[in-house]
Amino acid sequence: MDNSVKKWLVRAGSLFILFGFFIPSMAVSCSAFGMSQEQSFSMSTAASELDQGILYLVIIGIFATIILSFLIARNNQQKAFFILGEAVGLGLGIFSILVSLISLSSQIGELAQIGVDFKVKPGFFLLIFGYGLAGFGVVIDFLESPRRSAPLPYNPQPNYAPAPSPVADYAASPPMYAGSSSPRLELVSGNAPGLVPITAPDFHIGRSSQNHCVVGDTQVSRTHVRIREAQGVWFIQDQNSSSGTFVNGSQIQAQRLNDGDQIRIGQTTFRFRA
C-alpha cells in the first residue's frame, strides 16, 4: 500500500467529496404571504429527485480514485497509468456537476423571477475543498513521478561489463572495503545471501549469476540495480528493471543511500549499512 503524503491527500480529498455529496449543497427559499419557507437538497437528492442521474458519476469517479490510490505500481508506466486514472476519476465528477448545474440553470433563472432565492450550503464548499485537496495530491504525485533515469554525480560507464563470477567467488577475494565498518547489505527478507559485503565501487545486484549479488527472485530483473560510490558517498540506481526499485517504501530511479535504508527489489528486501 502506498502511504505517501500525496496519496493521503488524494484519499482525504475523496472522503470530503463523498461527505459533501450527501449533505445539503443548496437551499431554495421563498417568502409568500408573510411566511418564509426554505428547502435544502444535496447532490444525492438532485440525482434521485431532480432528474440529474449524471451526478452518480461523482460516486463512481471517487471510488475509482480511492482504489487506484491504494494500488502499488511495479514500474513507472504502471504508476503513470494509476495517476492518470485518479485524474480521470476526479475529472469525471467535476464534469458531471458542471453538466448538472448547466441543466438546472434555466429552472433556477425562472424561479428567481418569481421571488425564489437560492442559497449555497456547506456541502457545496465541502465538494470544492475535497476536489481541490485531491487534485493537489494528484498534481504533486505527477510532478514527483520519475519519467526517466536520473543521472548520478559521477561519470557513467556505458561499456561496463559485470564481473563474470558469482557472489560466492567474491568472498574468496580480498575485499576492497575492509573492516567492520565496510559497506554491506543485510538481508531482511527474500531469497538472497544473509550478508553481502559491497566489494566493488560499482556493485550490481540481480537474478543473473553475472552480478556481484545474485538474488533468487523471479520478480527481480537479470541486472536489476547498481550501487556505486562517488567521493565517499553511496548511490543506488535502478537499471530499467521490470518491477522497480524501492528505498524505504518509495520507488526510485536514482538517489543517495544512507545507513539503515531499506532497499526492496521484487520480493527481496536488504538493509544498507555504510
Side-chain angles (χ1 to χ4, degrees):
M1 183 173 66
D2 191 341
N3 285 322
S4 60
V5 174
K6 49 187 175 290
K7 289 299 183 183
W8 279 112
L9 288 175
V10 175
R11 296 163 194 161
S14 299
L15 291 177
F16 278 119
I17 295 169
L18 283 177
F19 189 53
F21 187 81
F22 292 100
I23 68 174
S25 301
M26 298 187 70
V28 179
S29 62
C30 179
S31 299
F33 306 106
M35 300 179 61
S36 178
Q37 295 181 341
E38 181 176 292
Q39 182 178 1
S40 301
F41 60 93
S42 63
M43 289 293 174
S44 61
T45 304
S48 59
E49 298 181 10
L50 300 181
D51 196 24
Q52 298 298 317
I54 191 173
L55 288 174
Y56 287 122
L57 290 178
V58 173
I59 300 297
I60 296 174
I62 288 306
F63 274 112
T65 300
I66 293 176
I67 292 173
L68 288 172
S69 74
F70 280 100
L71 298 180
I72 297 178
R74 296 188 175 275
N75 50 55
N76 293 336
Q77 290 76 15
Q78 199 173 65
K79 183 174 183 179
F81 175 78
F82 290 163
I83 295 174
L84 177 62
E86 293 171 5
V88 170
L90 295 174
L92 198 63
I94 294 174
F95 172 77
S96 65
I97 292 175
L98 290 176
V99 170
S100 179
L101 290 176
I102 293 173
S103 175
L104 292 172
S105 62
S106 59
Q107 300 178 36
I108 293 174
E110 293 174 359
L111 292 174
Q113 294 178 0
I114 60 174
V116 177
D117 296 325
F118 286 84
K119 298 178 182 179
V120 177
K121 288 292 186 176
F124 184 78
F125 298 107
L126 205 59
L127 286 168
I128 294 177
F129 178 75
Y131 275 112
L133 189 63
F136 182 62
V138 171
V139 170
I140 293 178
D141 202 6
F142 172 76
L143 294 177
E144 292 184 357
S145 62
R147 284 172 287 280
R148 62 179 182 179
S149 298
L152 295 180
Y154 47 73
N155 293 328
Q157 299 179 2
N159 296 323
Y160 173 83
S165 301
V167 171
D169 295 340
Y170 284 90
S173 60
M176 180 173 294
Y177 304 94
S180 59
S181 62
S182 61
R184 59 198 181 279
L185 298 174
E186 298 174 351
L187 182 66
V188 176
S189 63
N191 184 14
L195 182 63
V196 183
I198 300 178
T199 55
D202 193 354
F203 194 82
H204 282 65
I205 306 171
R207 187 162 40 87
S208 169
S209 62
Q210 302 300 311
N211 292 284
H212 297 87
C213 176
V214 179
V215 178
D217 185 337
T218 57
Q219 294 188 22
V220 172
S221 299
R222 291 181 59 82
T223 299
H224 195 106
V225 71
R226 72 196 300 187
I227 296 176
R228 293 195 63 179
E229 184 269 345
Q231 299 179 350
V233 179
W234 289 93
F235 296 87
I236 185 170
Q237 183 178 34
D238 184 81
Q239 298 297 287
N240 295 321
S241 63
S242 59
S243 59
T245 300
F246 298 80
V247 175
N248 298 327
S250 298
Q251 187 172 10
I252 59 96
Q253 285 298 307
Q255 77 170 43
R256 176 177 176 171
L257 281 176
N258 297 306
D259 183 59
D261 282 350
Q262 287 203 6
I263 304 167
R264 177 168 65 83
I265 56 175
Q267 298 298 318
T268 303
T269 302
F270 294 100
R271 181 179 290 106
F272 174 76
R273 292 299 186 187

